[in-house]
């Protein structure tokens, strides 16, 4: 492709390529694609589109091994901006999770807020109305003043944006680990509803069709944000503040309503939101998918600042903007809708034949590149990096539980764990979110392992959850990732629903580090095996590499967002004990295992130990058993055993209605392991004495161990005849721990 004669911009250099995050060999590849040396604008285009954030160049080979087909799938992973599954009654559920880690570490409020806004746009750009928001958050040591500053900003950003936009935040998870002191993780998930057949694709086709930009004006915020998200954080990262976008939830609400109304006109050919890489990404991905080119006149783009350069307009990541291709002749239909909602709606170009993207500024062609060369699956480079087992695995393998003494005062241990920030109630965070805002659909807000959302007009609902214990993945990426998927499915099942599909947000360190790549590749294998077992295909998601600093990488954190379908609300299940005197049963195998538990870290200070006991076949059998018990209305409550072990599970079930429990432990298992160990594939249920026998027989049919633990009491806790105190005392510790951490004087 020879250089057009009217492109006057100075040619780029290999040094500029390096500064923009490209390798020298990638610069040479660009020259081969173009048949010439790119100018700076063209180099900037390639730098953002070939960044890890946009191209997945170091991950796509492994991602393609994940299962992407299933009986409820309406589109395959990667086909659209979000996953789409069939939930019956002519309805589809669109959902996706993405990261906004680096921006949130620099400017926590706007970083988190725009993460929420961006993921919602992915949903309504497809034509779905967002009905629920979830998140998965990771912070550093809660005693650290910086952690508290970041946490306040992130939580307020999520709450303010979601509450103003009118979509409830219904579920999530929060963990604290030292490895996140510099690199916090902020993963946001959106769930929406759409009528099957009324979705819109992110595609550009039809010669002569006009190309519109709609929504907010374009500013200089977020420029090179995709490149920023594809590098390690360092001491000078605060200087990259312009790479953090600024959000406006009220503008996004207008854009949502206008977009859904515009779709009904039948005038829209294709549409895509502008996230990472802005106009560059939207034009290239839509064009490549439609096998057409575009002529784009950048001086026609509404801007917030005067005299913006062409490359700044191209790369801006200003929020609340969409690119829309409209059927020629129906311009007035679209313009009338956006004018009604008082939003910018400007023609900035047209669809052309061929593969070229041509960008003009004041009549001058400033960049000309083939769309296909920019995108994932097209010309973007693909790598598989060196992999090596980390050195720390040796320490994990050498762990000896027999060397750990059982504390003499297990009551004190129980009370300390109740206020452990990874176990304690997250209400300091959740009270800042509105879980009931909006009227399109409602959360039940009942205490269950997954959040349940009613589908208006139907006696059915959706169960949604986010899950990942990154310490498990650190200890064993393969098994830890399987556990993440399994726990998500277990939470869905314990709520009465059937797991349907997942979206993932894969947060790892630098992929050029062989130990990080080993973690990543093994986590993908574990995730894939678990998804195939539960028939929960991967609908899409996000890869976030470079989550590391001078202190090293974060724990590998493959966050799982799962959606399940509750076919009949009569099968809704909660986690709370109902009545004193009810029988408490443990379904699943109790193991003599304290490895990788909060107990082991918090009480004994040990952070390197094997992953807790887990067997995928046992997990599958357990979940089938729980489904059967719920369908036959044999149990009153169900709550899975996770962080904090059996004691925490019992406590959380008891506290809801201010009840207690009286249980006997297993003498063949060390007592600290029985109470606080985190061996997987276990669920605590409550039932009547009359139904207990039936439950035991059903468990035998599935080959799943079952044990009567004891009974629900009026408010006291007794273990092996020893009084452990009153539930109310534990509840005070559990409910107030996070708030007390956030108000105490701490060291920088």
């Amino acid at each position: 492709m020879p250089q057009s004669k009217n492109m006057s911009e100075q040619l780029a250099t290999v040094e500029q390529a390096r500064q923009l995050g490209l390798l020298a060999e990638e610069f040479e590849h660009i020259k081969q694609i173009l048949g010439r040396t790119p100018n700076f604008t063209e180099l900037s285009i390639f730098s953002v589109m070939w960044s890890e954030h946009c191209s997945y160049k170091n991950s796509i080979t492994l991602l393609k091994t994940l299962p992407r087909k299933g009986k409820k799938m309406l589109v395959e992973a990667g086909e659209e901006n979000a996953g789409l599954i069939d939930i019956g009654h002519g309805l589809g559920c669109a959902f996706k999770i993405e990261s906004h880690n680096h921006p949130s570490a620099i400017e926590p409020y706007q970083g988190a807020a725009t993460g929420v806004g961006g993921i919602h746009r992915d949903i309504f750009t497809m034509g779905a109305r967002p009905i629920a928001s979830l998140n998965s958050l990771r912070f550093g040591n809660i005693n650290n003043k910086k952690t508290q500053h970041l946490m306040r900003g992130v939580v307020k950003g999520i709450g303010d944006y979601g509450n103003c936009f009118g979509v409830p935040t219904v579920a999530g998870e929060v963990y604290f680990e030292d490895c996140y002191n510099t690199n916090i993780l902020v993963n946001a998930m959106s769930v929406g509803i759409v009528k099957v057949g009324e979705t819109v694709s992110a595609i550009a086709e039809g010669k002569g069709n006009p190309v519109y930009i709609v929504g907010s004006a374009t500013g200089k915020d977020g420029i090179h944000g995709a490149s920023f998200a594809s590098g390690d954080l360092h001491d000078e990262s605060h200087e990259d503040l312009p790479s953090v976008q600024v959000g406006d939830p009220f503008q996004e609400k207008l854009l949502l309503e206008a977009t859904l109304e515009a779709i009904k006109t039948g005038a829209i050919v294709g549409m895509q939101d502008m996230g990472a890489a802005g106009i560059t990404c939207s034009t290239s991905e839509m064009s490549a998918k439609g096998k057409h080119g575009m002529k784009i006149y950048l001086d026609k783009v509404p801007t917030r600042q005067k005299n913006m350069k062409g490359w700044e307009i191209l790369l801006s990541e200003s929020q609340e903007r969409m690119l829309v291709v409209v059927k020629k002749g129906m311009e007035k239909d679209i313009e009338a809708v956006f004018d009604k909602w008082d939003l910018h709606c400007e023609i900035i170009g047209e669809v052309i034949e061929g593969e070229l993207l041509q960008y003009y500024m004041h009549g001058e062609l400033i960049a000309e590149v083939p769309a296909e060369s920019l995108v994932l699956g097209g010309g973007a480079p693909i790598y598989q990096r060196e992999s090596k087992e980390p050195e720390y695995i040796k320490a994990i393998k050498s762990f000896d539980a027999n060397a750990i003494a059982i504390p003499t005062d297990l009551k004190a241990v129980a009370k300390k764990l109740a206020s452990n920030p990874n176990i304690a109630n997250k209400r300091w965070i959740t009270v800042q979110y509105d879980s009931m805002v909006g009227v399109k659909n409602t959360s039940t807000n009942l205490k269950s392992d997954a959040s349940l959302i009613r589908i208006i007009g139907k006696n059915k609902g959706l169960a949604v959850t986010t899950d990942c214990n990154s310490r498990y993945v650190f200890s064993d990426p393969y098994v830890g990732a399987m556990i993440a998927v399994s726990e998500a499915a277990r939470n869905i099942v314990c709520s009465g629903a059937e797991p349907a599909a997942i979206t993932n947000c894969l947060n790892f360190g630098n992929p050029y580090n062989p130990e990080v790549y080993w973690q990543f590749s093994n986590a993908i294998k574990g995730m894939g095996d678990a998804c195939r077992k539960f028939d929960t295909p991967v609908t899409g998601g996000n890869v976030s590499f470079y989550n590391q600093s001078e202190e090293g990488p974060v724990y590998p954190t493959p966050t799982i967002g799962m959606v399940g379908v509750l076919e009949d609300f009569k099968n809704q299940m909660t986690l709370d004990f109902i009545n004193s005197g009810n029988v408490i049963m443990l379904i699943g195998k109790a193991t003599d295992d304290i490895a990788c538990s909060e107990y082991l870290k918090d009480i004994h200070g040990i952070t390197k130990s094997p992953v807790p006991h887990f067997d995928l076949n046992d997990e599958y059998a357990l979940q089938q058993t729980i489904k059967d018990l719920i369908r036959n209305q044999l149990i009153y409550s169900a709550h899975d055993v996770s962080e904090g072990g059996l004691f925490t599970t019992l406590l959380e079930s008891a506290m809801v209605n201010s009840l207690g429990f009286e249980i006997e432990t297993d003498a063949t298992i060390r007592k600290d392991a029985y109470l606080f160990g985190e061996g997987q594939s276990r669920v605590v249920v409550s039932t009547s004495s009359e139904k207990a026998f039936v439950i035991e027989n059903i468990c035998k049919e599935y080959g799943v161990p079952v044990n009567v633990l004891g009974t629900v009491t009026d408010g006291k806790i007794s273990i092996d005849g020893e009084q452990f105190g009153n539930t109310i005392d534990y509840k005070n510790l559990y409910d107030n721990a996070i708030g007390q951490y956030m108000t105490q004087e701490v060291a920088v």
Side-chain angles (χ1 to χ4, degrees):
M1 184 193 309
Q3 184 164 348
S4 301
K5 60 183 179 181
N6 60 338
M7 273 197 288
S8 59
E9 192 175 326
Q10 188 174 358
L11 299 182
T13 66
V14 67
E15 183 55 36
Q16 288 175 323
R18 289 195 184 98
Q19 291 172 356
L20 293 176
L22 291 167
L23 302 173
E25 54 265 34
E26 291 174 339
F27 182 66
E28 290 302 314
H29 186 40
I30 293 168
K31 288 164 66 176
Q32 290 175 9
I33 290 171
L34 298 179
R36 54 181 172 80
T37 302
N39 61 31
F40 179 78
T41 298
E42 291 169 331
L43 183 68
S44 295
I45 290 170
F46 277 99
S47 76
V48 292
M49 292 305 298
W50 285 12
S51 68
E52 184 66 41
H53 192 78
C54 291
S55 75
Y56 292 177
K57 59 188 178 184
N58 291 306
S59 58
I60 187 60
T61 300
L62 293 172
L63 295 179
K64 286 183 176 179
T65 66
L66 293 170
R68 300 191 292 175
K69 296 182 179 180
K71 57 180 182 283
K72 291 185 179 294
M73 294 280 283
L74 293 174
V75 297
E76 283 194 26
E79 281 188 7
E80 299 296 346
N81 284 333
L84 187 65
I85 61 170
D86 188 348
I87 59 174
H89 300 285
L91 297 175
C93 174
F95 63 102
K96 189 181 182 183
I97 190 169
E98 282 195 341
S99 65
H100 231 220
N101 301 335
H102 282 36
S104 300
I106 302 302
E107 212 302 296
Y109 181 85
Q110 290 293 353
T114 53
V116 173
I119 197 63
H120 284 320
R121 281 197 306 280
D122 277 340
I123 299 304
F124 70 76
T125 304
M126 291 180 64
R129 179 176 289 277
I131 61 167
S133 182
L134 301 86
N135 54 66
S136 175
L137 310 177
R138 300 292 190 283
F139 298 104
N141 192 315
I142 197 171
N143 289 306
N144 187 301
K145 196 168 187 176
K146 179 183 176 182
T147 294
Q148 297 186 5
H149 162 73
L150 292 171
M151 183 172 161
R152 283 191 175 90
V154 165
V155 172
K156 186 170 175 55
I158 292 171
D160 284 1
Y161 202 103
N163 298 350
C164 294
F165 183 55
V167 174
T169 302
V170 301
E173 56 172 4
V174 185
Y175 288 88
F176 302 88
E177 299 282 0
D178 288 352
C179 65
Y180 303 111
N181 280 338
T182 299
N183 283 93
I184 63 173
L185 302 183
V186 177
N187 298 172
M189 179 174 169
S190 178
V191 180
I193 298 288
V194 63
K195 289 183 178 178
V196 175
E198 295 187 5
T199 54
V200 174
S201 187
I203 193 170
E205 57 188 0
K207 179 185 177 183
N209 282 334
V211 179
Y212 283 81
I213 190 169
V214 302
S216 297
T218 297
K220 294 185 179 183
D221 48 323
I223 292 174
H224 277 296
S227 302
F228 168 60
S230 303
D232 298 347
L233 289 184
H234 47 78
D235 290 341
E236 286 75 42
S237 288
H238 65 278
E239 297 176 3
D240 291 319
L241 191 59
S243 293
V244 180
Q245 309 92 335
V246 178
D248 182 346
F250 300 105
Q251 187 83 339
E252 178 135 326
K253 176 63 174 174
L254 297 178
L255 188 59
L256 161 67
E257 300 300 338
T259 298
L260 297 182
E261 187 173 329
I263 292 170
K264 292 179 181 178
T265 67
I268 294 178
V269 175
M271 178 165 51
Q272 183 165 324
D273 82 298
M274 291 185 192
I279 292 173
T280 299
C281 185
S282 299
T283 53
S284 59
E285 290 184 350
M286 291 177 73
S287 291
K289 185 171 183 176
K291 301 190 182 305
H292 278 68
M294 286 188 195
K295 275 187 182 179
I296 300 294
Y297 303 96
L298 296 170
D299 51 294
K300 296 184 181 295
V301 175
T303 58
R304 293 203 301 269
Q305 284 101 21
K306 293 182 179 179
N307 302 317
M308 286 184 68
K309 297 176 180 159
W311 66 268
E312 291 177 321
I313 296 171
L314 269 173
L315 271 59
S316 167
E317 296 182 5
S318 293
Q319 298 291 284
E320 294 86 38
R321 301 179 302 155
M322 320 275 268
L323 194 75
V324 186
V325 176
V326 174
K327 293 176 183 177
K328 193 172 183 178
M330 299 188 72
E331 292 88 346
K332 289 189 173 4
D333 299 81
I334 289 295
E335 290 168 7
V337 172
F338 285 94
D339 183 62
K340 168 188 170 180
W341 292 97
D342 196 25
L343 292 167
H344 288 295
C345 180
E346 301 290 339
I347 295 178
I348 62 168
E350 62 179 323
V351 178
I352 60 175
E353 288 184 341
E355 61 172 354
L356 292 180
L357 294 170
Q358 298 175 334
Y359 301 105
Y360 291 82
M361 193 73 177
H362 303 301
E364 180 184 358
L365 180 66
I366 63 169
E368 186 176 62
V369 297
E372 189 72 13
S373 71
L374 299 173
V375 301
L376 171 69
I382 296 175
Y383 305 112
Q384 190 155 357
R385 297 297 173 193
E386 181 187 354
S387 176
K388 184 180 78 170
E389 184 178 277
E391 286 296 315
Y392 71 78
I393 295 295
K394 293 177 182 176
I396 288 173
K397 290 178 177 177
S398 67
F399 172 76
D400 181 9
N402 294 322
I404 308 297
I406 301 174
T408 54
D409 189 352
L410 292 179
K411 188 191 311 183
V413 171
K415 288 185 174 180
K416 187 175 183 184
L417 288 177
S419 59
N420 176 301
N422 287 340
I423 294 173
N425 194 337
K426 307 303 186 298
R427 73 173 186 176
W428 184 92
I429 296 168
T430 57
V431 294
Q432 300 184 54
Y433 306 151
D434 192 332
S435 64
M436 300 296 287
V437 66
V439 296
K440 297 297 181 182
N441 293 85
T442 57
S443 168
T444 65
N445 264 0
L446 297 175
K447 297 287 187 181
S448 55
D449 281 4
S451 180
L452 292 173
I453 307 159
R454 290 186 178 274
I455 299 174
I456 288 182
K458 313 295 180 187
N459 190 36
K460 69 189 303 179
L462 297 175
V464 292
T465 185
T466 55
D467 290 285
C468 179
N469 186 311
S470 59
R471 194 184 304 149
Y472 297 172
V473 188
F474 174 76
S475 292
D476 187 327
Y478 176 72
V479 177
M482 281 201 294
I483 290 176
V485 174
S486 299
E487 184 176 3
R490 197 186 316 140
N491 286 331
I492 298 287
V493 167
C494 285
S495 302
E498 179 75 29
I502 76 161
T503 176
N504 56 40
C505 196
L506 308 177
N507 308 271
F508 289 78
N510 192 321
Y512 293 87
N513 179 337
E515 294 188 351
V516 168
Y517 207 75
W518 180 88
Q519 293 173 332
F520 180 75
S521 58
N522 279 279
I524 293 294
K525 290 176 186 174
M527 185 184 304
D529 285 350
C531 285
R532 280 182 279 271
K533 187 72 174 178
F534 297 112
D535 192 20
T536 51
V538 181
T539 64
N542 173 224
V543 177
S544 176
F545 280 137
Y546 303 97
N547 293 292
Q548 71 179 66
S549 61
E550 287 87 349
E551 291 83 38
V554 301
Y555 282 169
T557 312
T559 303
I560 304 299
M562 184 175 285
V563 172
V565 180
L566 179 63
E567 292 293 348
D568 191 332
F569 254 94
K570 74 177 184 183
N571 290 328
Q572 178 181 2
M573 183 55 57
T574 59
L575 61 82
D576 51 313
F577 293 152
I578 307 299
N579 293 308
S580 177
N582 285 161
V583 177
I584 304 171
M585 306 179 79
L586 176 66
I587 300 179
K589 183 181 179 182
T591 54
D592 199 357
D593 185 5
I594 59 173
C596 223
S597 61
E598 288 292 337
Y599 160 73
L600 189 62
K601 180 194 174 187
D602 199 5
I603 305 302
H604 298 283
I606 296 174
T607 58
K608 292 184 177 68
S609 61
V611 71
H613 171 81
F614 177 76
D615 183 278
L616 187 57
N617 291 323
D618 289 349
E619 178 70 40
Y620 183 81
L622 169 78
Q623 293 189 24
Q624 303 313 304
T625 305
I626 299 298
K627 289 179 195 176
D628 198 335
L629 298 179
I630 293 173
R631 283 194 298 265
N632 287 287
Q633 300 183 334
L634 292 169
I635 57 177
Y636 303 148
S637 68
H639 189 21
D640 82 313
V641 179
S642 56
E643 288 82 14
L646 178 63
F647 182 88
T648 297
T649 301
L650 292 164
L651 185 65
E652 289 174 343
S653 293
M655 288 188 295
V656 179
N657 297 316
S658 299
L659 295 169
F661 53 89
E662 184 178 70
I663 67 164
E664 298 288 329
T665 63
D666 186 336
T668 65
I669 298 174
R670 51 185 290 169
K671 199 164 182 174
D672 57 347
Y674 194 81
L675 292 176
F676 311 120
E678 296 177 15
Q680 298 295 293
S681 310
R682 293 180 292 160
V683 173
V684 170
V685 304
S686 62
T687 188
S688 65
S689 55
E690 296 80 16
K691 293 177 179 178
F693 179 72
V694 181
I695 292 171
E696 287 177 339
N697 285 336
I698 290 175
C699 289
K700 286 178 184 176
E701 289 176 11
Y702 283 99
V704 175
V706 58
N707 181 45
V708 175
L709 293 175
T711 57
V712 179
T713 68
D714 285 334
K716 295 186 183 296
I717 297 174
S718 173
I719 299 175
D720 295 334
E722 180 185 354
Q723 295 302 310
F724 266 58
N726 295 313
T727 302
I728 189 68
D729 296 328
Y730 286 94
K731 184 173 171 56
N732 286 333
L733 293 170
Y734 180 84
D735 283 349
N736 299 317
I738 300 289
Q740 289 176 355
Y741 278 112
M742 296 301 292
T743 56
Q744 67 186 8
E745 292 291 326
V746 297
V748 178

